[in-house]
Amino acid sequence: MSGAWSLIILIAVIIISVFVVQAVTKQGDHPVLTQKEIIEALKKRQEDEKADRD
């Protein structure tokens, strides 16, 4: 029975730590960008630079 309780406590700690990490990253000054957002921003910058040259 103690093995089941330790497993439940371990899962609860993991879930709480995930929420804590999400809360800390949202409060940061710099938003965490996904890889897709970074790629879209780079493409937009390249398009803007091409438009400026023309």
Side-chain angles (χ1 to χ4, degrees), residues 28-39:
D29 293 336
H30 303 289
V32 178
L33 297 175
T34 62
Q35 189 173 4
K36 182 180 177 185
E37 290 173 327
I38 293 171
I39 292 172

Side-chain angles (χ1 to χ4, degrees), residues 12-26:
V13 168
I14 291 172
I15 292 171
I16 291 169
S17 64
V18 167
F19 282 116
V20 168
V21 168
Q22 287 179 349
V24 169
T25 54
K26 284 182 182 177

Side-chain angles (χ1 to χ4, degrees), residues 1 7-8 11 13 15 29 38 41 45-47 51 53:
M1 188 66 183
L7 186 62
I8 291 170
I11 291 171
V13 168
I15 292 171
D29 293 336
I38 293 171
R45 184 194 291 176
Q46 287 176 347
E47 291 172 0
R53 285 187 212 143

